[in-house]
Amino acid sequence: MPVGSITWGSRDEPNDAMDIPADHEAHSSILQPELNSCAEFTTAGMDNEEPVDVADAADAADADLFEMMSCGQDLARNDHDNPMPSLSEVPATSNHTGLPAVGLQTVPTVTVERFPIETAGIPIIGRPGDMPIYESTQTDLGDNIWAPFHSQCDWEIAHWAKLRGPTSSAVAIYSAFQRTARDFVTFYHRDIIMCIRALYGEPEYAQHLAFAPERHYTDETRSCRIYNELHTGDWWWTVQASLEQQRPGATIIPIIISSDKTQLTLFRGKSAYPVYLTLGNIPKTIRRKPSCRAQMLIGYIPITGLDHMKNQAARRHALTNLFHGCMSHFLAPIGPYGKTGIAMMSGDGVWRRCHPIFAIFVGDYPEQCLVTCTYQGRCPKCNVSPSELGENASFTPRDLKSALNAYMLADGDATTFHAACRNAGLKPVYHPFWETLPHTDIFRSITPDILHQLLQGVMKHLLAWVTSPTALGAEEINARCQRLPLNHNVHLFSHGITCLSRVSGKEHKDICRILLGLVIELPLPNGQSSSRLVRAVRALLDFLYLAQFPTHTTATLVHLADALTRFHENKEIFIDLGTCKQFNFPKLHSLLHYQMSITLFGTTDSYDTEQTERLHIDFTKDAY
């Protein structure tokens, strides 16, 4: 019986198994590491009758190991000459974990459907790939003696920030630097192409990058899809097919932009409006860790009240135009490169023709309305009337072509332009930033937001309904919280949950863990049955936890839609109790779009605003 095996695969192939956390055992068997031109090394059996010299065996094993590693490196450079073996070629006794399958439970493997056009994501032939990133940038410095800084002033500021720090004397020195006074708002930003090159060319990410779309299935019948990373969704597949028809050999770089206005102080009203960038080629497990630095700050939107403008409508309109003007300046360079492509080198020294394309915008509801130019109280993704936001029905999605046709009139007659925008249900914004971006549908790019839509949105409403005096009442709910026994996995609210103020997302998560137990078998006023209330609470909790799955399948998406249907079937209990009058608010309506967004862009942990909130600490608040 063999005691072990060692398997090497291509460095260019993403490891799907690493994306599943260890605490999700139910889904750990869905995705397994893919084999691509692999080489196997198996030790001799333990029952060998001939004596084996330990030192000789170790030397031989080291030599074989070095040879196998060299072979693996050669195979990694020739991925396109050695296609991935089919599942039938994988040994039946292998469990893809480097351990023998004897005595272990058989784990089903995933069926991967590669993109049918072989030129998708291929390297550029003949382009030198052995030049380090640092050396390749030296050719662009020219005769600037302060390089890589643009001027002596930039060098002095960096020198001050590195050596002096934020002391009182250091601030005095900083104020002595030559600065140019301006009468308009200051806009700080970075070159987005350089930021993309830095993230794409990071050597630590090289072996994990995804270069082409894939479709994952649970078995060979391909009857049940698996959605995990961004490249397993339908958006990348559709855009890749469109680019391959125009110019074969494209490598898509999905641009993920997130922004959120945040408070810097509690008393003086200081705030900042940072904008962050990351790439969909990088696995979500890396993007979600601040220590991996896969998210990059690309600029700050100017914060100004425009107090000199007395008309409030004109002021709001000017602030909206200011936001889109700054975002246009951010993203303008990726417009032409999204069509023609630009040569970029990944961290392993391989050059590809990359097409940076705006894919996802991450933000809460006010930012979503601001980006899509829709009015508050409306859905940024579909044409639903405000009086139907609480209905469990499908509505026609917003049409990008009609929006572009309306904004093409921005330079003409103002009356005609405003009438066209009003007919399209959009704000009259002067040339939105997404107007000229290729392969971008801004209404599809709006993604689910677990933190603000569910935890601090729908769940906040649910707590208010449950603890209302006409329902269960705050007194009994708090009493049940105080009677809970000690538990390592449950946060104990010793004073109840109704007395909390400024409840954070983590506290809402802790409340959701015990909420169902708090409402079971509680009597309702007038002797009403609590079964409908319990079913409604359970349905929303089911939707909350299903929406956070790190890996979804076609079957789990059906359960997600079923949980939302069960809530709508029992939600009238809150109206009967008098805790609410209607359900027409956008955050409840947004739950209808979760299933479609997951099929397009992968699971929700790839684009949750909780990551953006964490970035505020490092890039905004600590910096302030």
Side-chain angles (χ1 to χ4, degrees), residues 460-534:
K460 184 178 180 179
H461 286 282
L462 181 62
L463 291 175
W465 298 337
V466 170
T467 58
S468 174
T470 60
L472 302 178
E475 183 177 355
E476 181 60 27
I477 292 292
N478 292 334
R480 285 200 168 194
C481 291
Q482 297 169 356
R483 291 195 294 265
L484 285 175
L486 297 177
N487 192 297
H488 291 289
N489 299 319
V490 174
H491 179 84
L492 299 181
F493 297 91
S494 57
H495 300 288
I497 60 177
T498 61
C499 59
L500 299 175
S501 61
R502 300 179 64 88
V503 185
S504 64
K506 183 180 183 303
E507 289 174 329
H508 272 121
K509 289 181 181 179
D510 295 334
I511 293 174
C512 290
R513 290 184 177 182
I514 61 175
L515 182 59
L516 187 60
L518 297 178
V519 302
I520 289 180
E521 295 184 355
L522 276 180
L524 293 179
N526 301 324
Q528 299 185 62
S529 174
S530 63
S531 59
R532 285 194 299 162
L533 187 143
V534 172

Side-chain angles (χ1 to χ4, degrees), residues 450-452 454-457 459 502-512 544 548 610 613:
I450 298 293
L451 178 61
H452 295 98
L454 278 174
L455 292 175
Q456 295 186 339
M459 291 301 164
R502 300 179 64 88
V503 185
S504 64
K506 183 180 183 303
E507 289 174 329
H508 272 121
K509 289 181 181 179
D510 295 334
I511 293 174
C512 290
L544 171 66
Q548 298 180 79
E610 195 170 1
E613 297 290 343

